[in-house]
Amino acid sequence: DSGVTQTPKHLITATGQRVTLRCSPRSGDLSVYWYQQSLDQGLQFLIQYYNGEERAKGNILERFSAQQFPDLHSELNLSSLELGDSALYFCASSVGVRASYEQYFGPGTRLTVT
Amino acid sequence: AQKVTQAQTEISVVEKEDVTLDCVYETRDTTYYLFWYKQPPSGELVFLIRRNSFDEQNEISGRYSWNFQKSTSSFNFTITASQVVDSAVYFCALPGANNLFFGTGTRLTVIP
């Protein structure tokens, strides 16, 4: 158990809908990363938050957004969902702001868009 | 930009055999870290190791060992006496400025 929690574990929804994925980092960790894992793209970085502020953006679509709350949990919002958004979404946390710190991953949320 | 190559897409071994997973990286950084993660069939990503480029000594943890060679830009992972529970996809990763860059992974199947 990494200490990072993600809910829900599975999500099935229809095209055009909006969903929210939630992540709680390990105790003491200030950084939260979101990654998407799909069969064709592999593991792709989406966005990073550190202590409540957005620090870096990767291949995140405009239809996607995220935030980190004062209690350090984070939410990833996916809207106007398309079939291609079906993937495993991971949250990772680390103690520092740099990517070179150890990143611990949650169990992931498997999103299926039908 | 950072790049990680895991040329072995799939490997199958019989239980108790040793197996080495290859990782080749590209970076212009003079100091850097390298990571290995394991993704078992259940799907989670499990952190295995983080290694600093300053330290080229082999790392051993139980049946796992890692060989870091800057001269060939490789950070290979060896499992000794493989077990069925080692069946998973293994990812090598290299940090960039803001995130980890992952290789495409190597799927290891250990046959009982």
Side-chain angles (χ1 to χ4, degrees), chain A residues 33 35 37 43 45 48 56 88 90 99-107, chain B residues 33 35 37 39 42-45 47 50 91 95-100 102:
Chain A
Y33 298 81
Y35 291 87
Q37 185 179 33
L43 271 158
F45 166 66
Q48 179 204 9
L88 189 51
F90 285 107
S100 56
Y101 285 93
E102 294 172 10
Q103 292 186 26
Y104 293 90
F105 283 74
Chain B
Y33 289 85
F35 293 73
Y37 285 86
Q39 187 173 36
S42 50
E44 73 270 28
L45 272 168
F47 169 81
R50 181 185 76 153
F91 292 94
N98 303 301
N99 59 281
L100 290 175
F102 287 87

PDB file of all heavy atoms in Angstrom, chain A residues 33 35 37 43 45 48 56 88 90 99-107, chain B residues 33 35 37 39 42-45 47 50 91 95-100 102:
ATOM      1  N   TYR A  33       0.679  14.542  -8.605  1.00  0.00           N
ATOM      2  CA  TYR A  33       0.785  14.419 -10.062  1.00  0.00           C
ATOM      3  C   TYR A  33      -0.393  13.601 -10.564  1.00  0.00           C
ATOM      4  O   TYR A  33      -0.820  12.659  -9.906  1.00  0.00           O
ATOM      5  CB  TYR A  33       2.063  13.672 -10.455  1.00  0.00           C
ATOM      6  CG  TYR A  33       3.363  14.334 -10.053  1.00  0.00           C
ATOM      7  CD1 TYR A  33       3.865  14.206  -8.761  1.00  0.00           C
ATOM      8  CD2 TYR A  33       4.107  15.056 -10.974  1.00  0.00           C
ATOM      9  CE1 TYR A  33       5.062  14.790  -8.396  1.00  0.00           C
ATOM     10  CE2 TYR A  33       5.312  15.648 -10.628  1.00  0.00           C
ATOM     11  CZ  TYR A  33       5.778  15.508  -9.328  1.00  0.00           C
ATOM     12  OH  TYR A  33       6.975  16.086  -8.980  1.00  0.00           O
ATOM     13  N   TYR A  35      -1.397  11.287 -13.951  1.00  0.00           N
ATOM     14  CA  TYR A  35      -0.916  10.618 -15.155  1.00  0.00           C
ATOM     15  C   TYR A  35      -2.074   9.837 -15.776  1.00  0.00           C
ATOM     16  O   TYR A  35      -2.965   9.364 -15.078  1.00  0.00           O
ATOM     17  CB  TYR A  35       0.201   9.616 -14.827  1.00  0.00           C
ATOM     18  CG  TYR A  35       1.517  10.221 -14.383  1.00  0.00           C
ATOM     19  CD1 TYR A  35       1.745  10.526 -13.047  1.00  0.00           C
ATOM     20  CD2 TYR A  35       2.544  10.438 -15.296  1.00  0.00           C
ATOM     21  CE1 TYR A  35       2.955  11.064 -12.628  1.00  0.00           C
ATOM     22  CE2 TYR A  35       3.766  10.968 -14.892  1.00  0.00           C
ATOM     23  CZ  TYR A  35       3.961  11.269 -13.557  1.00  0.00           C
ATOM     24  OH  TYR A  35       5.173  11.783 -13.151  1.00  0.00           O
ATOM     25  N   GLN A  37      -2.803   6.549 -18.310  1.00  0.00           N
ATOM     26  CA  GLN A  37      -2.206   5.383 -18.954  1.00  0.00           C
ATOM     27  C   GLN A  37      -3.213   4.781 -19.923  1.00  0.00           C
ATOM     28  O   GLN A  37      -4.277   4.308 -19.529  1.00  0.00           O
ATOM     29  CB  GLN A  37      -1.791   4.322 -17.932  1.00  0.00           C
ATOM     30  CG  GLN A  37      -1.052   3.146 -18.581  1.00  0.00           C
ATOM     31  CD  GLN A  37      -0.621   2.092 -17.573  1.00  0.00           C
ATOM     32  OE1 GLN A  37      -1.296   1.858 -16.563  1.00  0.00           O
ATOM     33  NE2 GLN A  37       0.501   1.451 -17.820  1.00  0.00           N
ATOM     34  N   LEU A  43       2.155   5.749 -20.480  1.00  0.00           N
ATOM     35  CA  LEU A  43       1.985   6.586 -19.290  1.00  0.00           C
ATOM     36  C   LEU A  43       2.344   8.027 -19.641  1.00  0.00           C
ATOM     37  O   LEU A  43       3.493   8.340 -19.937  1.00  0.00           O
ATOM     38  CB  LEU A  43       2.883   6.091 -18.162  1.00  0.00           C
ATOM     39  CG  LEU A  43       2.298   5.044 -17.252  1.00  0.00           C
ATOM     40  CD1 LEU A  43       3.379   4.259 -16.541  1.00  0.00           C
ATOM     41  CD2 LEU A  43       1.356   5.695 -16.235  1.00  0.00           C
ATOM     42  N   PHE A  45       2.109  12.161 -18.547  1.00  0.00           N
ATOM     43  CA  PHE A  45       1.931  13.142 -17.486  1.00  0.00           C
ATOM     44  C   PHE A  45       0.864  14.156 -17.887  1.00  0.00           C
ATOM     45  O   PHE A  45       0.876  14.668 -19.012  1.00  0.00           O
ATOM     46  CB  PHE A  45       3.264  13.838 -17.236  1.00  0.00           C
ATOM     47  CG  PHE A  45       3.189  15.099 -16.420  1.00  0.00           C
ATOM     48  CD1 PHE A  45       2.811  15.044 -15.086  1.00  0.00           C
ATOM     49  CD2 PHE A  45       3.496  16.315 -16.983  1.00  0.00           C
ATOM     50  CE1 PHE A  45       2.762  16.205 -14.334  1.00  0.00           C
ATOM     51  CE2 PHE A  45       3.447  17.477 -16.244  1.00  0.00           C
ATOM     52  CZ  PHE A  45       3.073  17.426 -14.914  1.00  0.00           C
ATOM     53  N   GLN A  48       0.707  18.738 -12.551  1.00  0.00           N
ATOM     54  CA  GLN A  48       1.260  18.648 -11.212  1.00  0.00           C
ATOM     55  C   GLN A  48       0.799  19.821 -10.370  1.00  0.00           C
ATOM     56  O   GLN A  48       0.758  20.961 -10.845  1.00  0.00           O
ATOM     57  CB  GLN A  48       2.795  18.654 -11.252  1.00  0.00           C
ATOM     58  CG  GLN A  48       3.437  18.595  -9.867  1.00  0.00           C
ATOM     59  CD  GLN A  48       4.847  19.155  -9.802  1.00  0.00           C
ATOM     60  OE1 GLN A  48       5.323  19.745 -10.756  1.00  0.00           O
ATOM     61  NE2 GLN A  48       5.525  18.968  -8.672  1.00  0.00           N
ATOM     62  N   ALA A  56       3.015  22.461 -13.062  1.00  0.00           N
ATOM     63  CA  ALA A  56       3.416  22.057 -14.409  1.00  0.00           C
ATOM     64  C   ALA A  56       2.267  21.375 -15.112  1.00  0.00           C
ATOM     65  O   ALA A  56       1.427  20.728 -14.480  1.00  0.00           O
ATOM     66  CB  ALA A  56       4.609  21.101 -14.343  1.00  0.00           C
ATOM     67  N   LEU A  88      -6.628   4.432 -17.756  1.00  0.00           N
ATOM     68  CA  LEU A  88      -6.372   4.324 -16.323  1.00  0.00           C
ATOM     69  C   LEU A  88      -5.724   5.647 -15.900  1.00  0.00           C
ATOM     70  O   LEU A  88      -4.721   6.066 -16.483  1.00  0.00           O
ATOM     71  CB  LEU A  88      -5.441   3.141 -16.078  1.00  0.00           C
ATOM     72  CG  LEU A  88      -5.170   2.655 -14.662  1.00  0.00           C
ATOM     73  CD1 LEU A  88      -6.452   2.415 -13.894  1.00  0.00           C
ATOM     74  CD2 LEU A  88      -4.332   1.379 -14.711  1.00  0.00           C
ATOM     75  N   PHE A  90      -3.901   7.756 -13.019  1.00  0.00           N
ATOM     76  CA  PHE A  90      -3.154   7.606 -11.783  1.00  0.00           C
ATOM     77  C   PHE A  90      -2.885   8.965 -11.149  1.00  0.00           C
ATOM     78  O   PHE A  90      -2.606   9.959 -11.835  1.00  0.00           O
ATOM     79  CB  PHE A  90      -1.788   6.950 -12.041  1.00  0.00           C
ATOM     80  CG  PHE A  90      -1.834   5.489 -12.298  1.00  0.00           C
ATOM     81  CD1 PHE A  90      -1.616   4.985 -13.561  1.00  0.00           C
ATOM     82  CD2 PHE A  90      -2.075   4.598 -11.252  1.00  0.00           C
ATOM     83  CE1 PHE A  90      -1.645   3.622 -13.807  1.00  0.00           C
ATOM     84  CE2 PHE A  90      -2.102   3.238 -11.486  1.00  0.00           C
ATOM     85  CZ  PHE A  90      -1.893   2.748 -12.761  1.00  0.00           C
ATOM     86  N   ALA A  99      10.478  16.529  -9.818  1.00  0.00           N
ATOM     87  CA  ALA A  99      10.080  15.191 -10.264  1.00  0.00           C
ATOM     88  C   ALA A  99      11.082  14.128  -9.851  1.00  0.00           C
ATOM     89  O   ALA A  99      10.794  12.933  -9.932  1.00  0.00           O
ATOM     90  CB  ALA A  99       9.926  15.191 -11.777  1.00  0.00           C
ATOM     91  N   SER A 100      12.252  14.546  -9.414  1.00  0.00           N
ATOM     92  CA  SER A 100      13.260  13.571  -9.012  1.00  0.00           C
ATOM     93  C   SER A 100      13.002  12.969  -7.638  1.00  0.00           C
ATOM     94  O   SER A 100      13.648  11.997  -7.250  1.00  0.00           O
ATOM     95  CB  SER A 100      14.652  14.212  -9.046  1.00  0.00           C
ATOM     96  OG  SER A 100      14.674  15.369  -8.238  1.00  0.00           O
ATOM     97  N   TYR A 101      12.059  13.541  -6.912  1.00  0.00           N
ATOM     98  CA  TYR A 101      11.686  12.912  -5.652  1.00  0.00           C
ATOM     99  C   TYR A 101      10.906  11.628  -5.940  1.00  0.00           C
ATOM    100  O   TYR A 101      10.272  11.492  -6.970  1.00  0.00           O
ATOM    101  CB  TYR A 101      10.805  13.838  -4.809  1.00  0.00           C
ATOM    102  CG  TYR A 101      11.554  14.958  -4.142  1.00  0.00           C
ATOM    103  CD1 TYR A 101      11.671  16.211  -4.745  1.00  0.00           C
ATOM    104  CD2 TYR A 101      12.149  14.774  -2.896  1.00  0.00           C
ATOM    105  CE1 TYR A 101      12.359  17.242  -4.129  1.00  0.00           C
ATOM    106  CE2 TYR A 101      12.833  15.800  -2.279  1.00  0.00           C
ATOM    107  CZ  TYR A 101      12.939  17.027  -2.898  1.00  0.00           C
ATOM    108  OH  TYR A 101      13.618  18.043  -2.297  1.00  0.00           O
ATOM    109  N   GLU A 102      10.957  10.707  -5.002  1.00  0.00           N
ATOM    110  CA  GLU A 102      10.215   9.463  -5.181  1.00  0.00           C
ATOM    111  C   GLU A 102       8.727   9.766  -5.303  1.00  0.00           C
ATOM    112  O   GLU A 102       8.173  10.484  -4.471  1.00  0.00           O
ATOM    113  CB  GLU A 102      10.471   8.529  -3.993  1.00  0.00           C
ATOM    114  CG  GLU A 102      11.905   8.058  -3.915  1.00  0.00           C
ATOM    115  CD  GLU A 102      12.211   7.299  -2.646  1.00  0.00           C
ATOM    116  OE1 GLU A 102      11.272   6.971  -1.900  1.00  0.00           O
ATOM    117  OE2 GLU A 102      13.401   7.023  -2.392  1.00  0.00           O
ATOM    118  N   GLN A 103       8.137   9.240  -6.338  1.00  0.00           N
ATOM    119  CA  GLN A 103       6.705   9.422  -6.548  1.00  0.00           C
ATOM    120  C   GLN A 103       6.005   8.106  -6.246  1.00  0.00           C
ATOM    121  O   GLN A 103       6.343   7.060  -6.794  1.00  0.00           O
ATOM    122  CB  GLN A 103       6.420   9.850  -7.989  1.00  0.00           C
ATOM    123  CG  GLN A 103       6.926  11.245  -8.322  1.00  0.00           C
ATOM    124  CD  GLN A 103       6.523  11.710  -9.697  1.00  0.00           C
ATOM    125  OE1 GLN A 103       5.517  11.283 -10.261  1.00  0.00           O
ATOM    126  NE2 GLN A 103       7.313  12.621 -10.268  1.00  0.00           N
ATOM    127  N   TYR A 104       5.020   8.193  -5.383  1.00  0.00           N
ATOM    128  CA  TYR A 104       4.239   7.022  -4.999  1.00  0.00           C
ATOM    129  C   TYR A 104       2.861   7.138  -5.631  1.00  0.00           C
ATOM    130  O   TYR A 104       2.209   8.169  -5.511  1.00  0.00           O
ATOM    131  CB  TYR A 104       4.151   6.915  -3.472  1.00  0.00           C
ATOM    132  CG  TYR A 104       5.490   6.605  -2.853  1.00  0.00           C
ATOM    133  CD1 TYR A 104       6.353   7.618  -2.452  1.00  0.00           C
ATOM    134  CD2 TYR A 104       5.904   5.279  -2.700  1.00  0.00           C
ATOM    135  CE1 TYR A 104       7.596   7.313  -1.917  1.00  0.00           C
ATOM    136  CE2 TYR A 104       7.139   4.977  -2.156  1.00  0.00           C
ATOM    137  CZ  TYR A 104       7.985   5.999  -1.777  1.00  0.00           C
ATOM    138  OH  TYR A 104       9.218   5.695  -1.248  1.00  0.00           O
ATOM    139  N   PHE A 105       2.488   6.058  -6.284  1.00  0.00           N
ATOM    140  CA  PHE A 105       1.260   6.060  -7.067  1.00  0.00           C
ATOM    141  C   PHE A 105       0.097   5.442  -6.309  1.00  0.00           C
ATOM    142  O   PHE A 105       0.256   4.484  -5.547  1.00  0.00           O
ATOM    143  CB  PHE A 105       1.468   5.295  -8.375  1.00  0.00           C
ATOM    144  CG  PHE A 105       2.237   6.074  -9.407  1.00  0.00           C
ATOM    145  CD1 PHE A 105       3.601   6.263  -9.259  1.00  0.00           C
ATOM    146  CD2 PHE A 105       1.603   6.619 -10.504  1.00  0.00           C
ATOM    147  CE1 PHE A 105       4.321   6.987 -10.201  1.00  0.00           C
ATOM    148  CE2 PHE A 105       2.313   7.341 -11.452  1.00  0.00           C
ATOM    149  CZ  PHE A 105       3.667   7.526 -11.295  1.00  0.00           C
ATOM    150  N   GLY A 106      -1.076   5.996  -6.568  1.00  0.00           N
ATOM    151  CA  GLY A 106      -2.299   5.391  -6.070  1.00  0.00           C
ATOM    152  C   GLY A 106      -2.693   4.211  -6.937  1.00  0.00           C
ATOM    153  O   GLY A 106      -2.037   3.917  -7.937  1.00  0.00           O
ATOM    154  N   PRO A 107      -3.783   3.531  -6.558  1.00  0.00           N
ATOM    155  CA  PRO A 107      -4.214   2.342  -7.283  1.00  0.00           C
ATOM    156  C   PRO A 107      -4.817   2.632  -8.650  1.00  0.00           C
ATOM    157  O   PRO A 107      -5.020   1.724  -9.440  1.00  0.00           O
ATOM    158  CB  PRO A 107      -5.252   1.712  -6.355  1.00  0.00           C
ATOM    159  CG  PRO A 107      -5.755   2.848  -5.554  1.00  0.00           C
ATOM    160  CD  PRO A 107      -4.621   3.806  -5.383  1.00  0.00           C
TER     161      PRO A 107
ATOM    162  N   TYR B  33      18.307  11.147 -11.785  1.00  0.00           N
ATOM    163  CA  TYR B  33      17.867   9.936 -11.111  1.00  0.00           C
ATOM    164  C   TYR B  33      17.196   9.022 -12.133  1.00  0.00           C
ATOM    165  O   TYR B  33      16.753   9.464 -13.185  1.00  0.00           O
ATOM    166  CB  TYR B  33      16.850  10.273 -10.016  1.00  0.00           C
ATOM    167  CG  TYR B  33      17.440  10.960  -8.811  1.00  0.00           C
ATOM    168  CD1 TYR B  33      17.625  12.347  -8.790  1.00  0.00           C
ATOM    169  CD2 TYR B  33      17.813  10.223  -7.691  1.00  0.00           C
ATOM    170  CE1 TYR B  33      18.160  12.968  -7.698  1.00  0.00           C
ATOM    171  CE2 TYR B  33      18.344  10.855  -6.583  1.00  0.00           C
ATOM    172  CZ  TYR B  33      18.520  12.222  -6.595  1.00  0.00           C
ATOM    173  OH  TYR B  33      19.054  12.846  -5.504  1.00  0.00           O
ATOM    174  N   PHE B  35      14.387   5.569 -12.152  1.00  0.00           N
ATOM    175  CA  PHE B  35      13.399   4.844 -11.352  1.00  0.00           C
ATOM    176  C   PHE B  35      13.010   3.546 -12.059  1.00  0.00           C
ATOM    177  O   PHE B  35      13.050   3.449 -13.278  1.00  0.00           O
ATOM    178  CB  PHE B  35      12.110   5.663 -11.206  1.00  0.00           C
ATOM    179  CG  PHE B  35      12.216   6.922 -10.401  1.00  0.00           C
ATOM    180  CD1 PHE B  35      12.865   8.032 -10.902  1.00  0.00           C
ATOM    181  CD2 PHE B  35      11.627   6.996  -9.142  1.00  0.00           C
ATOM    182  CE1 PHE B  35      12.944   9.209 -10.166  1.00  0.00           C
ATOM    183  CE2 PHE B  35      11.698   8.166  -8.403  1.00  0.00           C
ATOM    184  CZ  PHE B  35      12.344   9.267  -8.913  1.00  0.00           C
ATOM    185  N   TYR B  37       9.508   0.957 -11.728  1.00  0.00           N
ATOM    186  CA  TYR B  37       8.204   0.680 -11.157  1.00  0.00           C
ATOM    187  C   TYR B  37       7.710  -0.669 -11.674  1.00  0.00           C
ATOM    188  O   TYR B  37       8.037  -1.087 -12.784  1.00  0.00           O
ATOM    189  CB  TYR B  37       7.186   1.755 -11.562  1.00  0.00           C
ATOM    190  CG  TYR B  37       7.340   3.071 -10.852  1.00  0.00           C
ATOM    191  CD1 TYR B  37       8.210   4.038 -11.334  1.00  0.00           C
ATOM    192  CD2 TYR B  37       6.608   3.348  -9.707  1.00  0.00           C
ATOM    193  CE1 TYR B  37       8.354   5.249 -10.691  1.00  0.00           C
ATOM    194  CE2 TYR B  37       6.734   4.568  -9.043  1.00  0.00           C
ATOM    195  CZ  TYR B  37       7.607   5.504  -9.544  1.00  0.00           C
ATOM    196  OH  TYR B  37       7.750   6.709  -8.893  1.00  0.00           O
ATOM    197  N   GLN B  39       4.133  -2.881 -12.346  1.00  0.00           N
ATOM    198  CA  GLN B  39       2.680  -2.829 -12.466  1.00  0.00           C
ATOM    199  C   GLN B  39       2.152  -4.258 -12.567  1.00  0.00           C
ATOM    200  O   GLN B  39       2.148  -4.850 -13.648  1.00  0.00           O
ATOM    201  CB  GLN B  39       2.242  -1.996 -13.671  1.00  0.00           C
ATOM    202  CG  GLN B  39       0.735  -1.782 -13.737  1.00  0.00           C
ATOM    203  CD  GLN B  39       0.336  -0.817 -14.838  1.00  0.00           C
ATOM    204  OE1 GLN B  39       0.926  -0.782 -15.905  1.00  0.00           O
ATOM    205  NE2 GLN B  39      -0.684  -0.008 -14.572  1.00  0.00           N
ATOM    206  N   SER B  42      -3.025  -6.484 -11.169  1.00  0.00           N
ATOM    207  CA  SER B  42      -4.064  -5.720 -10.473  1.00  0.00           C
ATOM    208  C   SER B  42      -4.063  -4.239 -10.881  1.00  0.00           C
ATOM    209  O   SER B  42      -5.033  -3.528 -10.633  1.00  0.00           O
ATOM    210  CB  SER B  42      -3.875  -5.838  -8.963  1.00  0.00           C
ATOM    211  OG  SER B  42      -2.532  -5.542  -8.622  1.00  0.00           O
ATOM    212  N   GLY B  43      -2.982  -3.768 -11.491  1.00  0.00           N
ATOM    213  CA  GLY B  43      -3.000  -2.448 -12.104  1.00  0.00           C
ATOM    214  C   GLY B  43      -2.263  -1.329 -11.417  1.00  0.00           C
ATOM    215  O   GLY B  43      -1.936  -0.325 -12.053  1.00  0.00           O
ATOM    216  N   GLU B  44      -2.007  -1.472 -10.113  1.00  0.00           N
ATOM    217  CA  GLU B  44      -1.344  -0.340  -9.443  1.00  0.00           C
ATOM    218  C   GLU B  44       0.113  -0.252  -9.859  1.00  0.00           C
ATOM    219  O   GLU B  44       0.705  -1.218 -10.322  1.00  0.00           O
ATOM    220  CB  GLU B  44      -1.466  -0.486  -7.919  1.00  0.00           C
ATOM    221  CG  GLU B  44      -0.593  -1.570  -7.318  1.00  0.00           C
ATOM    222  CD  GLU B  44      -1.283  -2.922  -7.250  1.00  0.00           C
ATOM    223  OE1 GLU B  44      -2.164  -3.175  -8.081  1.00  0.00           O
ATOM    224  OE2 GLU B  44      -0.881  -3.730  -6.389  1.00  0.00           O
ATOM    225  N   LEU B  45       0.689   0.899  -9.688  1.00  0.00           N
ATOM    226  CA  LEU B  45       2.110   1.115  -9.984  1.00  0.00           C
ATOM    227  C   LEU B  45       2.884   1.116  -8.677  1.00  0.00           C
ATOM    228  O   LEU B  45       2.649   1.963  -7.820  1.00  0.00           O
ATOM    229  CB  LEU B  45       2.326   2.451 -10.693  1.00  0.00           C
ATOM    230  CG  LEU B  45       2.207   2.447 -12.212  1.00  0.00           C
ATOM    231  CD1 LEU B  45       2.154   3.872 -12.733  1.00  0.00           C
ATOM    232  CD2 LEU B  45       3.361   1.697 -12.845  1.00  0.00           C
ATOM    233  N   PHE B  47       6.368   1.455  -6.649  1.00  0.00           N
ATOM    234  CA  PHE B  47       7.730   1.982  -6.693  1.00  0.00           C
ATOM    235  C   PHE B  47       8.704   0.894  -6.261  1.00  0.00           C
ATOM    236  O   PHE B  47       8.507   0.239  -5.248  1.00  0.00           O
ATOM    237  CB  PHE B  47       7.817   3.188  -5.752  1.00  0.00           C
ATOM    238  CG  PHE B  47       9.207   3.671  -5.489  1.00  0.00           C
ATOM    239  CD1 PHE B  47       9.857   4.482  -6.393  1.00  0.00           C
ATOM    240  CD2 PHE B  47       9.874   3.305  -4.325  1.00  0.00           C
ATOM    241  CE1 PHE B  47      11.138   4.929  -6.146  1.00  0.00           C
ATOM    242  CE2 PHE B  47      11.159   3.750  -4.069  1.00  0.00           C
ATOM    243  CZ  PHE B  47      11.790   4.557  -4.982  1.00  0.00           C
ATOM    244  N   ARG B  50      14.808   4.156  -6.704  1.00  0.00           N
ATOM    245  CA  ARG B  50      15.291   5.400  -7.277  1.00  0.00           C
ATOM    246  C   ARG B  50      16.800   5.410  -7.126  1.00  0.00           C
ATOM    247  O   ARG B  50      17.313   5.122  -6.043  1.00  0.00           O
ATOM    248  CB  ARG B  50      14.704   6.601  -6.549  1.00  0.00           C
ATOM    249  CG  ARG B  50      15.159   7.940  -7.129  1.00  0.00           C
ATOM    250  CD  ARG B  50      14.663   9.106  -6.322  1.00  0.00           C
ATOM    251  NE  ARG B  50      15.405   9.275  -5.082  1.00  0.00           N
ATOM    252  CZ  ARG B  50      15.542  10.453  -4.468  1.00  0.00           C
ATOM    253  NH1 ARG B  50      14.994  11.540  -4.996  1.00  0.00           N
ATOM    254  NH2 ARG B  50      16.207  10.531  -3.340  1.00  0.00           N
ATOM    255  N   PHE B  91       8.335  -0.827 -15.528  1.00  0.00           N
ATOM    256  CA  PHE B  91       8.625   0.430 -16.194  1.00  0.00           C
ATOM    257  C   PHE B  91       9.889   1.049 -15.620  1.00  0.00           C
ATOM    258  O   PHE B  91      10.069   1.110 -14.399  1.00  0.00           O
ATOM    259  CB  PHE B  91       7.468   1.418 -15.997  1.00  0.00           C
ATOM    260  CG  PHE B  91       6.207   1.045 -16.692  1.00  0.00           C
ATOM    261  CD1 PHE B  91       5.217   0.333 -16.037  1.00  0.00           C
ATOM    262  CD2 PHE B  91       5.997   1.429 -18.010  1.00  0.00           C
ATOM    263  CE1 PHE B  91       4.038  -0.008 -16.683  1.00  0.00           C
ATOM    264  CE2 PHE B  91       4.818   1.095 -18.662  1.00  0.00           C
ATOM    265  CZ  PHE B  91       3.841   0.377 -17.994  1.00  0.00           C
ATOM    266  N   PRO B  95      13.253  11.289 -14.544  1.00  0.00           N
ATOM    267  CA  PRO B  95      12.590  12.563 -14.259  1.00  0.00           C
ATOM    268  C   PRO B  95      13.018  13.656 -15.230  1.00  0.00           C
ATOM    269  O   PRO B  95      14.187  13.769 -15.585  1.00  0.00           O
ATOM    270  CB  PRO B  95      13.047  12.911 -12.848  1.00  0.00           C
ATOM    271  CG  PRO B  95      13.657  11.682 -12.301  1.00  0.00           C
ATOM    272  CD  PRO B  95      14.171  10.904 -13.470  1.00  0.00           C
ATOM    273  N   GLY B  96      12.018  14.452 -15.647  1.00  0.00           N
ATOM    274  CA  GLY B  96      12.327  15.687 -16.337  1.00  0.00           C
ATOM    275  C   GLY B  96      12.217  16.807 -15.323  1.00  0.00           C
ATOM    276  O   GLY B  96      12.310  16.582 -14.115  1.00  0.00           O
ATOM    277  N   ALA B  97      11.981  18.003 -15.811  1.00  0.00           N
ATOM    278  CA  ALA B  97      11.879  19.140 -14.899  1.00  0.00           C
ATOM    279  C   ALA B  97      10.662  19.013 -13.987  1.00  0.00           C
ATOM    280  O   ALA B  97      10.710  19.396 -12.815  1.00  0.00           O
ATOM    281  CB  ALA B  97      11.788  20.435 -15.700  1.00  0.00           C
ATOM    282  N   ASN B  98       9.602  18.437 -14.526  1.00  0.00           N
ATOM    283  CA  ASN B  98       8.344  18.462 -13.784  1.00  0.00           C
ATOM    284  C   ASN B  98       7.664  17.115 -13.614  1.00  0.00           C
ATOM    285  O   ASN B  98       6.690  17.035 -12.883  1.00  0.00           O
ATOM    286  CB  ASN B  98       7.343  19.389 -14.489  1.00  0.00           C
ATOM    287  CG  ASN B  98       7.894  20.779 -14.642  1.00  0.00           C
ATOM    288  OD1 ASN B  98       8.227  21.430 -13.669  1.00  0.00           O
ATOM    289  ND2 ASN B  98       8.005  21.238 -15.879  1.00  0.00           N
ATOM    290  N   ASN B  99       8.128  16.111 -14.299  1.00  0.00           N
ATOM    291  CA  ASN B  99       7.405  14.862 -14.257  1.00  0.00           C
ATOM    292  C   ASN B  99       8.331  13.712 -14.641  1.00  0.00           C
ATOM    293  O   ASN B  99       9.454  13.917 -15.098  1.00  0.00           O
ATOM    294  CB  ASN B  99       6.227  14.880 -15.231  1.00  0.00           C
ATOM    295  CG  ASN B  99       6.664  15.116 -16.666  1.00  0.00           C
ATOM    296  OD1 ASN B  99       6.929  16.251 -17.059  1.00  0.00           O
ATOM    297  ND2 ASN B  99       6.768  14.054 -17.449  1.00  0.00           N
ATOM    298  N   LEU B 100       7.841  12.516 -14.439  1.00  0.00           N
ATOM    299  CA  LEU B 100       8.584  11.335 -14.854  1.00  0.00           C
ATOM    300  C   LEU B 100       8.280  11.018 -16.316  1.00  0.00           C
ATOM    301  O   LEU B 100       7.134  11.095 -16.747  1.00  0.00           O
ATOM    302  CB  LEU B 100       8.181  10.135 -13.997  1.00  0.00           C
ATOM    303  CG  LEU B 100       8.628  10.152 -12.533  1.00  0.00           C
ATOM    304  CD1 LEU B 100       8.052   8.955 -11.788  1.00  0.00           C
ATOM    305  CD2 LEU B 100      10.147  10.154 -12.445  1.00  0.00           C
ATOM    306  N   PHE B 102       8.323   7.915 -18.729  1.00  0.00           N
ATOM    307  CA  PHE B 102       8.336   6.464 -18.615  1.00  0.00           C
ATOM    308  C   PHE B 102       8.698   5.807 -19.933  1.00  0.00           C
ATOM    309  O   PHE B 102       8.358   6.294 -21.020  1.00  0.00           O
ATOM    310  CB  PHE B 102       6.947   5.954 -18.206  1.00  0.00           C
ATOM    311  CG  PHE B 102       6.594   6.222 -16.768  1.00  0.00           C
ATOM    312  CD1 PHE B 102       6.005   7.413 -16.401  1.00  0.00           C
ATOM    313  CD2 PHE B 102       6.850   5.269 -15.788  1.00  0.00           C
ATOM    314  CE1 PHE B 102       5.679   7.663 -15.077  1.00  0.00           C
ATOM    315  CE2 PHE B 102       6.516   5.511 -14.461  1.00  0.00           C
ATOM    316  CZ  PHE B 102       5.931   6.706 -14.110  1.00  0.00           C
TER     317      PHE B 102
END
